[in-house]
Amino acid sequence: RAGICFDAGHWHSFAGGAQRRDMRRWLDAFAPRLAHLHLHDNDGSDDQHLGLGTGSIPLDDLFGGLIARGLHPTATMEPHDEASFAVSRAWLAARKHYADVLTAPNACADAPAKDPAATPAA
C-alpha cells in the first residue's frame, strides 16, 4: 500500500508555506492518501531541520488539521542534531493529544484480525 509523505519543513521553506500559510489546502489535497510525515521545524528561509516548536511552522495547524480529518499518519522526526531531537520529543510530550495522532488506533486496519484462541499450540 502506497501513500503520500508530507514534509512540513519542505512545505514551509521550499513550497512557500511560510508566505502563503496554506496548510489547510495542502492537507485537503493529501488527506485521502496521507500516510507519513517528516517532522522538523524552520523559520521559512531554509530547510534548517530545527527542533519542533523552535521555528515558525504552524504545528498547531498541522496537528489540528490531522485531528479534524481523522488522520493518523506515521512520522519520522528529522532534526539534525541530538539537542534538537530532544526538543522535538519534549514538544510532543507536552502535547499528548498531538502525539496520539501519530499512534494510529487501527494501524493494521487492512490486516485481518487474529483470534488468539484460533492460534494452534506449538
Side-chain angles (χ1 to χ4, degrees), residues 79-106:
H80 280 184
D81 58 62
E82 288 295 323
S84 295
F85 184 71
V87 166
S88 293
R89 289 187 62 197
W91 189 91
L92 276 173
R95 293 157 182 83
K96 185 175 179 337
H97 58 293
Y98 289 171
D100 290 345
V101 169
L102 305 178
T103 307
N106 55 351

Side-chain angles (χ1 to χ4, degrees), residues 3 5 19 24 44 50-51 53 59 68-69 77 80-81 85-86 97 106-107 111 117 119 121:
C5 173
Q19 293 77 33
R24 284 188 198 141
L50 304 173
L59 296 168
R69 291 163 180 80
M77 306 289 277
H80 280 184
D81 58 62
F85 184 71
H97 58 293
N106 55 351
T119 304

Side-chain angles (χ1 to χ4, degrees), residues 17-116:
Q19 293 77 33
R20 291 189 194 101
R21 313 292 291 171
D22 58 353
M23 175 74 72
R24 284 188 198 141
R25 186 173 70 84
W26 282 68
L27 289 177
D28 286 342
F30 289 165
R33 296 280 183 241
L34 183 61
H36 191 73
L37 302 172
H38 283 184
L39 296 175
H40 49 100
D41 214 334
N42 65 56
D43 66 8
S45 68
D46 195 20
D47 189 28
Q48 297 151 324
H49 288 261
L50 304 173
L52 295 178
T54 61
S56 59
I57 293 176
L59 296 168
D60 290 327
D61 291 349
L62 172 60
F63 282 94
L66 296 172
I67 291 166
R69 291 163 180 80
L71 300 173
H72 292 273
T74 58
T76 300
M77 306 289 277
E78 290 195 324
H80 280 184
D81 58 62
E82 288 295 323
S84 295
F85 184 71
V87 166
S88 293
R89 289 187 62 197
W91 189 91
L92 276 173
R95 293 157 182 83
K96 185 175 179 337
H97 58 293
Y98 289 171
D100 290 345
V101 169
L102 305 178
T103 307
N106 55 351
C108 297
D110 292 338
K114 292 184 180 179
D115 179 358

